[in-house]
Amino acid sequence: MATFKEFRNKVKPNWCPGCGDFSVLAAMQRAFANQGLEPEDVTLVSGIGCSGRISGYMNAYGFHGIHGRALPIAQGLKLANRDLTVVAAGGDGDGFAIGMSHTIHAIRRNVDITYIVMDNQVYGLTKGQTSPRSEMGFKTKSTPKGAIEATIAPLEMALTAGAGFVAQAFSSDLKQMTRLIEEGLNHKGFSLINVYSPCVTYNKINTYDWFKENLTNLEQDESYDPSDRMMAMQKLMENNGLVTGLIYQNKERKSYEEMISGFREEPLAKQDLKLPKEDFDQLVAEFA
Amino acid sequence: MIKQLSWKVGGQQGEGIDSTGEIFSTALNRLGYHLYGYRHFSSRIKGGHSNTKIRISIRPIRAVSDDLDVLVAFDQETIDLNAHELHDRGVILADAKFKPVVPEGVSARLFSVPFTKIAQDVGLAQMKNMVAVGASSALLGLPLEAFQGVIEEKFSRKGQQVVDKNMEAIQSGVDHVLKETGGMIEDLKLEPSDGKKRLYMIGNDAIALGAIAAGARLMAAYPITPSSEIMEYLIKQLSKFGGTVVQTEDEIAAISMVLGANYGGVRALTASAGPGLSLMTEAIGLAGMTETPAVIVDTQRGGPSTGLPTKQEQSDINAMLYSTHGEIPKIVIAPSTAEECFYDTIQAFNLADRYQCPVIILSDLALSLGKQTVEPLDYDRISIDRGNLITDSEGLKQLENSELFKRYEWTEDGVSSRVLPGVKNGLHHVTGVEHDEVGRPSENPLNRQRMVEKRLKKLEQGIDFEHPVHVDAEHEEADLLIVGIGSTRGVIHEGMERLQADGVTVNHLHIRQLLPFPAETVKKEMAKAKKVVVVENNATGQLASQLKLHVGMADKISHVGKYDGNPFLPSEIYNQCKELLVHGHV
Ligand SMILES: Cc1ncc(C[n+]2csc(CCOP(=O)(O)OP(=O)(O)O)c2C)c(N)n1
Ligand code: SF4
Ligand SMILES: [Mg+2]
C-alpha cells in the first residue's frame, strides 16, 4: 500500500514560501494514502493559477488544462473510466469566475468526483487582481480604490444548486482538511471542498492570523447537523461563510453515473468498441 | 414517362409537412428511386411557412433542382411563395378548403382536391396529409402497395384501425385524382426504378451512425441548429451500447468533457455549428498541445454571429483551419455525401487516435440536413485503429522513485505512446503548458523547439486519410475544372453535365481533406485545366484562397460564391461557368 510519501514527486513547487497551497497538496497526499489508493488510481485534474500547478506536484496521473475548465475535463474523464479516483482542483478565480457555470452545473450533474478549491480571495498567478471571492473594499491592482462588486458565496450557492457534499477547510488545519478530503472521496457524487488557502504575497488582509480569528469550526458545535440543509444555509449566512468542517451532506442523492440509463459498471474505456453485425444491421434498417 | 421530377409540399410549420414528406419519400426509397430531400424551415417552431422539396430520380442525384413539377399546398401562402418554381407543365395539388388561386404569371395546372374534406369523411381531418400523399402518387403512377409497410410501421402502435384508416385516406386521394384528371396528366408518370434496396438519410444521421460504428461511447454537446440531430440520434441509441450523451452547460464544457473522456480512453465526440465552434477554440488548442485525440463536428450554417441559423453556408473554412491561437497539429476533413459522412466519421476517430490530435469533420447545413439516397453501408469497411495506445501495464518498465513515463517521447514521426490513466507504471503529466517528454512544464528553449517540431511533425508527411479528394476528371486537357467542398458535390456534377452537353470539357474536383491540404493531388488536377472555378457558399472565397496558398496558379482561379442562405442550383453553376468561359470572368 502506498504511503503519502509515494504521492510526492521530485518537482519543487514554485509557490511562494508560506503559500497555503502547500498544505492542500500535503492533505491530498495523506488522504489518498489513507484511502489505500495507489498513485495510478488517482487522476488530479487542475485549472490554471498558482493553485492549478498542484497536479504537477503530485505523483499521480495529472491533467493541467485551461483556465476554468478543470471540472468538465474531470467529469469527462470520470465518465470514461468510473474506476478512477478523479479529483479536480483550482483557484477561486478558476472555479468561481471563469469556470463558475461549470461549477454550478457540475454540482447539479453530480458526477462522482471531488473538487477542491484553493480559495485565496485573489488572483495569485496574474500577480494580484481582485477575485469574485475578494471582499468589498479589497484593494488590488485591478481595484486600486477597493473592490466594488459583491463577494460571491460559493457554499450557499452550492447548496441552492443541489450539492450533495459541501465542506470547507483551512490550510492551517491539515488534519481536518485531510479528513474532509477523505470524506469527499468517499461521498458518492460530486463533493465540493472549499479551502481557505492564504496567498501570503497578494492578500495582506485575509491572512493566516485573520482566519484563525474569524473562523468557526462547526465540528466543535455539537448541535450542528450536516444533514440539515436549512441549518447549513443558516450557519453559512450567520458566519458570512467563515466556517470549517463538513457543512452539508446528502447521502441519499444518487450520482450521475447511477442515474444514466444503461450505464454499465464496466468503465466505458474498457469496453469492446466493435459493433456487432446484428446491431449494425438493426441500426441501418431504420433508414431503409 | 419521365426519369426524374421534383415534388414539394408546403404549409404552416408544425402542421405535419415533415411527416407528409417522410411517408412519401420512405415509400419512394423502398421502390428503389434515388431521392434528395431538402427542408426549408424558419427559426420559428410553430407557424411560418415551411416546405420540403424532394427530388425523385431513377439515377443518383444530390442537389435541389431548378424547377418544380408538383406542388402540394396546404395553404395559399405555399402557392404564393413557391408556384413560380413550377414549370409550364407543372401541377399544383391544393386543398380545396382554402379556395386556392394560381398567381398571375404562373401557367402551371391547378387541381384543387378536397384534402380536408376527404380526410374528414374517412374519419380524421389530420389525415389530409395522407390524402395528399395518395393524390401525389396517383400523378406519379406509383403502386399503392409501396405505402402499406410504411404506414404500418408508423401507426401500428396505435392499432390496426388507425393503419387501415390511413391507407383508406391514401386510397381516397388516389381515387379522387384519377377521377378528376381522368388520365389527363400522363406526363408526370415516373419511369420504373431499378428496385434496389438503399438507405435514405440525412448527413447528421450518417455521422452519428458512423460514430457508433467507430466505437464512440460518449458525446458531450450543447444543442444548436443544424447539428442537434447528431446528439438526438445518439441520445436515442448510445445507451444500448453502454454509452451516453451529456447535454452540457455550453460548448466549452462539451469540448473539455470530450478531451477528458478521450484522455481517459473512451472515444468521444462533440458536434456544433459556428457559434459553438467559436467557443471551443481554446480547448481545441489544448487538445493539440496535450496531444489528446478529439473528434469535433462543425455543421456550418449562415454566419457570422447568429447569422442565418437555419440556412446553408460554407463560411467556417478559415475558422476551422486557423482559429486556435498558437500552432497545433489539427486535421480537417470534409465529407460531401451522406455516405461519406458515415465512413469519414469512422476514419476521423482513427485519425484522432493515430495522430493524437483534434480532428474536425466539416459539414454544412445542406449536407447535415439534406436527406439523400445512400448505397447500402458496408459493415466490412468499419475498421478501428487506436494507434499507439497502451491500455494496460503489460510490457511497461517499472517506474522507480517517482520516475515518469515518457508520454511525449521524441520519435521519428512525432507520435509517442499514449498510456491511459489508471495504468500502473504509466504515470506522467499532461499539461497545456509547454512540457518535456514526461509532461513536466519546461521553458527550456531547446526543449520548446523540439516539442513544437514534434507535434507538427505528426502531420507533416501527410496523413493516412482514404479519400483526400473526390475526382471526376475524364479529360486530360479540360476547358474548366470546377472545385467544391461539402454539400455542393451533386449540384456541381449536374452543372458539369449541362456544360458537357454544350461541348465544354469539364473536370470536377471536390476537396475532402482540408488540413493537411493535399496540394500535390490538387495541383495535378489544376494543371489539366485552362481555368479553375471554385464554387463555395461564402462571399470571400475561403476555399479558393487555400488553392492559391497551397498550389498557386492564382491567375487561372476564379470564385463563384453564394451567400444568400440557399444552396446552389444546377442552373447557377451552369450559368456562372458559361459566363466565365465566355467573358473570362464571373
Ligand atoms: C482564458 C484565460 N484568461 C486569463 C488567463 C490568465 N490567468 C491565469 S490564472 C488567472 C487567475 C488565477 O486566479 P485563481 O484562479 O484564483 O488562482 P490562484 O493563482 O489565485 O491560485 C488568470 C486570470 C488564462 N490563463 N486564461
Ligand atoms: S502568489 Fe500567492 S497564491 Fe501564488 S504561490 Fe504565491 S502565495 Fe501562493
Ligand atoms: Mg485565487
Side-chain angles (χ1 to χ4, degrees), chain A residues 40 61-62 64 102 109 275 287, chain B residues 200 249 379 423 426 430-432:
Chain A
E40 64 269 17
Y61 278 95
H64 180 227
H102 305 313
R109 199 170 285 126
L275 184 66
F287 302 103
Chain B
Y200 183 49
E249 53 275 24
Y379 179 76
V423 173
V430 172
T431 173

Side-chain angles (χ1 to χ4, degrees), chain A residues 50-51 90-94 118-125 131 197 199:
Chain A
C50 293
S51 45
D92 47 318
D94 205 74
M118 285 157 265
D119 182 359
N120 53 14
Q121 293 135 296
V122 73
Y123 284 8
L125 190 72
S131 132
S197 175
C199 170

Side-chain angles (χ1 to χ4, degrees), chain A residues 10 40 55 58 61-64 69 72-73 76-77 80 102 105 109 260 264 268-269 273 275 277 283 286-288, chain B residues 30 199-200 205 241-242 244 249 252 257 260-261 264 266 379 401-402 420 422-424 426-427 429-433:
Chain A
K10 294 205 182 110
E40 64 269 17
S55 60
M58 178 77 72
Y61 278 95
F63 196 116
H64 180 227
R69 319 301 168 197
I73 295 171
L77 173 61
H102 305 313
H105 293 284
R109 199 170 285 126
I260 303 171
R264 301 176 189 157
L268 285 183
L273 301 193
L275 184 66
K277 177 86 164 65
L283 289 173
E286 188 195 325
F287 302 103
Chain B
R30 291 189 186 171
L199 307 172
Y200 183 49
D205 284 337
F241 306 99
T244 194
E249 53 275 24
I252 301 178
M257 215 174 264
V266 68
Y379 179 76
N401 222 350
S402 75
L420 299 184
V423 173
K424 198 172 164 62
L427 285 195
H429 293 302
V430 172
T431 173
V433 175

